[in-house]
Each structure stands twice: as structure tokens, then as C-alpha cells.
Amino acid sequence: MAASAFPSSRAVPAAIAGINITPLVDVMLVLLVIFMVTMPIRSEVLALDIPQVGPPQPPTPRPEPVRLDVLADGGVMLDGVRLELAALPAELRAQHAQAPTATVSLHSSEAAEYRVFALALAAARAAGYREIAIRR
């Protein structure tokens, strides 16, 4: 028979499987007190220069688009006036100087040559127009 140093009437206590959160609560309370004490000390006034807003400006009206037609016979029309292809860049530059924010509306007939269309498009880009609407 085996002998035991402990009396047999006492049970062995079971291990506790929980986490002791008391130190965690203590640390959190100390941090809370520290922040409550230091925040009024750290608050300071910031000097900001905020720009003032004036009354809204009315939008500037956009100029009428410049209509450029490429015809089936190889000619071009600028705002309803027939031009030679060689005179087109000078006319487009003159109109761009008058209204630099205008849009070019490039119309082409189905029977027009691609070469004439490409030259008209290149002339509009060379004149300084950045907004070109291509229509069929």
C-alpha cells in the first residue's frame, strides 16, 4: 500500500484557467488620470489665417464653337465660309486669338477624303485649339 504525506480527506485544488485583469485595470486607470490632468495643460490656441470668401463670381459664358466642315469635294468651310485648305491655318489662328477658350466642332461628310480631314484636324491643333469635337 502506498503512503501519502497529505491527508486523504483534502482534495487537490484545480488550476485557475482565467486571466487576472486587475493589473490591466490599474494601469488603465492610471493612464486615464494622467491624460485627464495633462490635456488642459496642452490645449493652446492656434493662430490660423483663413481666407475670406467673397461673393460668388458669375460664370463666364463660353464662346460659340467654331464650326469646321470638311466637304466631299476636298474643300473646307469655316463657320459657313468656304476656304481653300492652304488658308485654313491662318484663319483658325485668327479666330483662336479672338476666342482662345472656344471649341472646334469638326464635321465631315462620309465622302470626304481622310487626307483633307487629317489636315483640317492638324490645322486646328496647330492653331492652339485643345477642345475639338469630331462629328460625322
Side-chain angles (χ1 to χ4, degrees), residues 72-86:
D73 61 356
V76 291
M77 291 182 71
L78 183 62
D79 286 336
V81 178
R82 187 174 177 92
L83 294 174
E84 293 296 322
L85 194 56

Side-chain angles (χ1 to χ4, degrees), residues 24-99:
L24 177 66
V25 171
D26 290 343
V27 169
M28 295 308 257
L29 287 174
V30 168
L31 288 175
L32 179 66
V33 169
I34 289 172
F35 285 135
M36 287 174 57
V37 169
T38 59
M39 284 311 292
I41 296 171
R42 294 200 43 106
S43 65
E44 56 193 49
V45 178
L46 296 176
L48 297 177
D49 293 329
I50 299 174
Q52 300 299 319
V53 178
Q57 299 293 330
T60 57
R62 290 189 56 95
E64 289 292 319
V66 176
R67 183 178 172 112
L68 179 60
D69 293 310
V70 178
L71 304 174
D73 61 356
V76 291
M77 291 182 71
L78 183 62
D79 286 336
V81 178
R82 187 174 177 92
L83 294 174
E84 293 296 322
L85 194 56
L88 181 63
E91 283 293 322
L92 283 173
R93 275 194 294 275
Q95 285 198 0
H96 184 265
Q98 292 175 358

